[in-house]
Amino acid sequence: EAGVVQSPRYKIIEKKQPVAFWCNPISGHNTLYWYLQNLGQGPELLIRYENEEAVDDSQLPKDRFSAERLKGVDSTLKIQPAELGDSAVYLCASSKEGYYEQYFGPGTRLTVT
Amino acid sequence: GQQVMQIPQYQHVQEGEDFTTYCNSSTTLSNIQWYKQRPGGHPVFLIQLVKSGEVKKQKRLTFQFGEAKKNSSLHITATQTTDVGTYFCAGGLHNTDKLIFGTGTRLQVFP
């Protein structure tokens, strides 16, 4: 069984530029999560999807961040414009349903210069 | 807001020594999950505990969920260099499927 796929693995951009991350969850997993992880800290939830519906986006900075999961499968997270403080690892995870264990992708390491 | 704290933040042990990390929540949890993240890697699920006072074992790892469902612990017996990484607990909030990840304990094992 293939794991959670994320791309790109690394991204370096200048501040004020846009950036997008892509995630393909494990087949059959209805719940998809986007997390932000700063160095030395635990993952912090940005948004959670149940199928194509965003059920928890309370931590998503909506002035610059947006996400979509149009067909309830893969998802895209966008930042526009990026700020220096957005440098972090962006993790995508999926689970069968919200209550169960989460499977994480390798993450995208974003560096904003 | 809800917080999940872990202690210690760091632990350095000699190979063969035991290791314990403690997880404490400010609120009662519906369940607790534990994840391990190797350096440069991503979190990997270890186990989920649901019942008050539950204890589960995986080889050298023992997981406990407190009676009040507000704390948990992970104990590793006779650590090995392969145990190196950061261990995160993640608490499930009642009436939601949201997980709050703890602050993590970074384990270093010296051969």
Side-chain angles (χ1 to χ4, degrees), chain A residues 67-86:
Chain A
E68 59 183 16
R69 193 185 185 198
L70 292 175
K71 296 182 180 179
V73 181
D74 56 347
S75 175
T76 303
L77 177 69
K78 297 179 182 177
I79 308 175
Q80 183 171 11
E83 296 178 353
L84 294 176
D86 296 332

Side-chain angles (χ1 to χ4, degrees), chain A residues 36-91:
Chain A
L36 177 154
Q37 186 174 31
N38 286 304
L39 190 64
Q41 298 182 23
E44 298 172 34
L45 182 69
L46 289 172
I47 190 167
R48 175 167 66 96
Y49 283 93
E50 295 288 346
N51 299 302
E52 64 272 11
E53 182 183 358
V55 296
D56 185 352
D57 63 355
S58 56
Q59 302 293 88
L60 190 72
K62 298 182 184 65
D63 57 335
R64 298 184 300 107
F65 286 64
S66 64
E68 59 183 16
R69 193 185 185 198
L70 292 175
K71 296 182 180 179
V73 181
D74 56 347
S75 175
T76 303
L77 177 69
K78 297 179 182 177
I79 308 175
Q80 183 171 11
E83 296 178 353
L84 294 176
D86 296 332
S87 295
V89 175
Y90 291 81
L91 294 164

Side-chain angles (χ1 to χ4, degrees), chain B residues 24-35:
Chain B
N24 293 288
S25 168
S26 56
T27 59
T28 303
L29 302 169
S30 62
N31 72 96
I32 194 94
Q33 299 181 18
W34 284 90
Y35 291 78

Side-chain angles (χ1 to χ4, degrees), chain B residues 12-87:
Chain B
H12 297 171
V13 299
Q14 202 75 33
E15 189 173 23
E17 291 181 337
D18 292 357
F19 159 77
T20 304
T21 172
Y22 300 91
C23 174
N24 293 288
S25 168
S26 56
T27 59
T28 303
L29 302 169
S30 62
N31 72 96
I32 194 94
Q33 299 181 18
W34 284 90
Y35 291 78
K36 176 183 178 181
Q37 187 170 19
R38 292 182 188 275
H42 56 275
V44 174
F45 174 80
L46 294 176
I47 207 158
Q48 181 184 44
L49 304 170
V50 179
K51 300 176 184 176
S52 170
E54 189 170 13
V55 178
K56 286 189 177 180
K57 292 190 176 184
Q58 287 180 350
K59 296 183 181 178
R60 295 177 295 104
L61 277 59
T62 301
F63 304 84
Q64 282 190 303
F65 199 10
E67 294 289 342
K69 301 183 78 172
K70 294 180 72 173
N71 56 73
S72 181
S73 66
L74 158 59
H75 179 81
I76 303 178
T77 303
T79 55
Q80 301 175 358
T81 54
T82 52
D83 295 325
V84 165
T86 301
Y87 292 85

